[in-house]
């Protein structure tokens, strides 16, 4: 009887199944809702879309600003019949730009004429319906010689000086920059041209501020150099004490060459007033160019200026690198934030499912233990029932 009773008693391990085990009573594993996967993909697409639109807008703005100098030629003819005849009689007008004078004018690595003056020249060509013949000469000094010899007919950008006015005619200036004194960073005092006496002062040979210093400060010890970059390197290396140049070109080359030990020590009192210059025996062309310049509006002039001039301290929020980093960070945030929300919800769902499964297993364990307790009580009861008659029979013997 006892053996039979044990055969019917539930076994502690027979009905209690843990997750991952086998058996019919095993609780099913939690189901993963596939909608979460679709939600993640949807959130990613919706998150990337605003960043892409912002990136496209930034590129569009940059491209728009880069090509904003496009100029619609005015309607109607503003030249006199004599001026039209003069242009027809002079189909080839040789223009010699300074080859290395950015951002005012220069030739790029492909040999294309670029810079502030180049943009004005393009507008004038469109306005007049002509094409200038761009002549490339190695340096500004040789250009001045060619102009005196009438090998070239005009400059794209030059300041009027007494020396140049002998053989060139100048239009009204279209842009102006100050001439500054550049020194090493260990020079703390503010300098004037008068205070440069006794110093070695570099200046680009033949530039307008060279003529200005020769005319007004003949006592200075001037050292002509071929271009702006050479002058900046010489003052940086200590070969000369100071370098005089126009502010726009100086800042352009300081940034391009990565020179970090220079700063602006003062002003010379001279300003570059850049104009178109024409050989003095062609006054007709000077008048024609003056008319064409006058038809360039303020909007076009401002667009050209903003395209090339950046010597004012730029806001870091307008830099391309900052915009790229900001857009990248925004894209990352927009992608990760919804993904984290979905992931947290998924984890919460999994935890809830696991918790529910654990509760069910605990309830099963409690039920099983209760069944075991009852089975033991039943066995003890039956054992006592069979033992009592046997003990009485033994006592009767």
């Amino acid at each position: 009887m006892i053996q039979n009773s044990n055969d019917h008693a539930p076994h502690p391990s027979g009905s209690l199944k843990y997750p991952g085990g086998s058996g019919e009573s095993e609780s099913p594993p939690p189901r993963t809702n596939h909608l979460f996967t679709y939600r993640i993909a949807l959130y990613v697409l919706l998150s990337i879309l605003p960043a892409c639109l912002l990136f496209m807008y930034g590129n569009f703005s940059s491209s728009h600003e880069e090509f904003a100098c496009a100029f619609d030629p005015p309607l109607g003819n503003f030249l006199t019949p004599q001026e039209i005849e003069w242009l027809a009689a002079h189909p080839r007008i040789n223009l010699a730009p300074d080859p290395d004078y950015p951002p005012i004018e220069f030739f790029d690595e492909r040999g294309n004429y670029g810079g502030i003056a180049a943009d004005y020249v393009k507008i004038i060509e469109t306005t007049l319906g002509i094409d200038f013949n761009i002549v490339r000469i190695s340096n500004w000094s040789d250009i001045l010689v060619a102009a005196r010899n009438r090998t070239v007919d005009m400059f794209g950008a030059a300041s009027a000086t007494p020396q140049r006015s002998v053989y060139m005619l100048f239009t009204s200036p279209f842009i102006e920059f100050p001439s500054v004194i550049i020194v090493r960073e260990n020079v703390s005092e503010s300098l004037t041209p008068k205070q440069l006496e006794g110093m070695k002062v570099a200046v680009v040979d033949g530039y307008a501020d060279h003529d200005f210093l020769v005319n007004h400060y003949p006592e200075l010890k001037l050292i002509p150099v071929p271009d702006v970059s050479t002058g900046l390197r010489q003052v940086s290396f200590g070969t000369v004490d100071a370098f005089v140049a126009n502010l726009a070109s100086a800042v352009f080359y300081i940034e391009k060459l990565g020179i970090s030990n220079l700063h602006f020590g003062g002003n010379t009192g001279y300003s570059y007033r850049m104009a178109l210059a024409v050989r003095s025996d062609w006054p007709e062309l000077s008048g024609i160019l003056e008319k064409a310049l006058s038809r360039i509006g303020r909007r076009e002039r401002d667009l050209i200026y903003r395209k090339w001039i950046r010597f004012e301290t730029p806001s870091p929020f307008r830099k391309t690198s900052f915009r790229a980093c900001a857009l990248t960070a925004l894209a990352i945030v927009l992608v990760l934030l919804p993904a984290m929300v979905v992931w947290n919800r998924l984890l919460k769902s999994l935890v809830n499912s696991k918790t529910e499964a654990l509760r069910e297993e605990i309830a099963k364990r409690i039920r099983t233990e209760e069944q075991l307790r009852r089975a033991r009580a039943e066995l003890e009861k039956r054992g006592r029932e069979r033992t009592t008659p046997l003990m009485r029979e033994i006592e009767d013997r």
Side-chain angles (χ1 to χ4, degrees):
M1 293 291 293
I2 297 176
Q3 182 67 35
N4 292 339
S5 298
N6 286 334
D7 291 340
H8 293 284
H11 193 277
S13 63
S15 62
L16 184 60
K17 303 296 182 181
Y18 295 93
S22 59
E24 295 180 358
S25 60
E26 178 182 1
S27 60
R31 295 179 298 173
T32 301
N33 192 345
H34 294 290
L35 288 177
F36 284 116
T37 303
Y38 302 141
R39 289 176 181 174
I40 290 176
L42 180 60
Y43 275 123
V44 169
L45 292 176
L46 293 177
S47 301
I48 292 177
L49 181 60
C52 292
L53 292 176
L54 287 173
F55 182 75
M56 292 171 62
Y57 174 77
N59 285 346
F60 172 78
S61 299
S62 299
S63 300
H64 176 72
E65 182 174 350
E66 180 179 356
F67 296 103
C69 295
F71 180 79
D72 295 329
L75 298 177
N77 196 341
F78 57 93
L79 299 179
T80 65
Q82 293 77 14
E83 290 171 335
I84 296 174
E85 290 179 4
W86 191 96
L87 285 177
H90 298 80
R92 185 180 181 88
I93 301 173
N94 296 320
L95 187 155
D98 190 326
D100 192 22
Y101 197 35
I104 299 169
E105 58 180 359
F106 59 92
F107 288 101
D108 62 20
E109 62 277 1
R110 296 183 179 180
N112 298 319
Y113 179 36
I116 296 173
D119 285 348
Y120 275 91
V121 166
K122 290 175 184 175
I123 295 175
I124 290 172
E125 287 179 326
T126 303
T127 304
L128 298 177
I130 63 174
D131 291 317
F132 295 113
N133 180 47
I134 306 299
V135 179
R136 184 167 185 173
I137 300 177
S138 59
N139 57 66
W140 182 248
S141 296
D142 291 343
I143 292 173
L144 294 178
V145 173
R148 285 194 292 267
N149 296 334
R150 305 309 192 198
T151 306
V152 299
D153 305 317
M154 60 177 292
F155 304 148
S159 293
T161 67
Q163 291 90 330
R164 297 172 183 174
S165 297
V166 173
Y167 55 93
M168 301 295 285
L169 297 175
F170 292 83
T171 66
S172 301
F174 53 82
I175 199 164
E176 183 173 346
F177 303 110
S179 174
V180 297
I181 302 170
I182 302 167
V183 293
R184 288 184 296 278
E185 60 185 359
N186 59 345
V187 179
S188 58
E189 66 271 18
S190 179
L191 298 174
T192 64
K194 189 66 176 177
Q195 293 172 308
L196 296 178
E197 291 184 20
M199 299 183 184
K200 292 185 290 184
V201 181
V203 63
V204 179
D205 188 20
Y207 274 15
D209 46 12
H210 185 188
D211 292 346
F212 172 79
L213 294 176
V214 168
N215 295 335
H216 293 83
Y217 301 94
E219 66 279 3
L220 293 183
K221 184 180 180 180
L222 300 179
I223 300 176
V225 294
D227 49 51
V228 175
S229 59
T230 301
L232 290 172
R233 288 191 179 99
Q234 287 195 8
V235 70
S236 175
F237 296 151
T239 307
V240 298
D241 300 307
F243 174 54
V244 173
N246 93 65
L247 180 61
S249 294
V251 172
F252 180 92
Y253 273 110
I254 287 174
E255 294 180 352
K256 179 181 178 180
L257 300 175
I259 301 175
S260 59
N261 66 334
L262 301 180
H263 74 107
F264 303 115
N267 292 313
T268 64
Y270 176 78
S271 290
Y272 278 83
R273 305 180 75 238
M274 297 295 181
L276 297 170
V278 177
R279 49 192 288 180
S280 57
D281 59 339
W282 282 5
E284 297 87 352
L285 179 58
S286 181
I288 292 171
L289 295 178
E290 188 69 50
K291 288 184 177 181
L293 272 177
S294 67
R295 300 185 73 85
I296 301 177
R298 175 53 53 189
R299 175 178 174 273
E300 285 74 24
R301 293 172 185 260
D302 290 343
L303 289 173
I304 295 173
Y305 186 91
R306 290 198 300 268
K307 176 182 176 182
W308 293 102
I309 302 301
R310 299 181 179 88
F311 59 75
E312 69 275 7
T313 303
S315 169
F317 303 105
R318 299 184 62 183
K319 290 185 177 180
T320 304
S321 57
F322 177 84
R323 288 191 298 178
C325 292
L327 290 175
T328 302
L330 178 61
I332 292 174
V333 170
L334 292 177
V335 170
L336 291 183
L337 184 61
M340 290 175 63
V341 172
V342 173
W343 179 250
N344 287 336
R345 290 182 179 178
L346 180 60
L347 287 179
K348 183 178 180 180
S349 176
L350 292 175
V351 169
N352 291 339
S353 179
K354 290 286 187 180
T355 301
E356 184 63 27
L358 183 59
R359 288 175 180 170
E360 292 180 0
E361 293 300 334
I362 292 174
K364 288 182 180 180
R365 181 185 289 274
I366 292 174
R367 289 195 298 269
T368 299
E369 290 177 352
E370 180 65 21
Q371 291 174 358
L372 287 173
R373 188 184 63 77
R374 292 177 181 178
R376 290 192 187 99
E378 182 67 23
L379 287 174
E380 291 175 357
K381 178 181 178 182
R382 292 183 182 183
R384 287 194 298 269
E385 290 176 352
R386 292 183 60 84
T387 302
T388 300
L390 181 58
M391 293 299 294
R392 289 177 181 175
E393 183 178 349
I394 293 174
E395 290 177 356
D396 291 342
R397 291 181 183 178

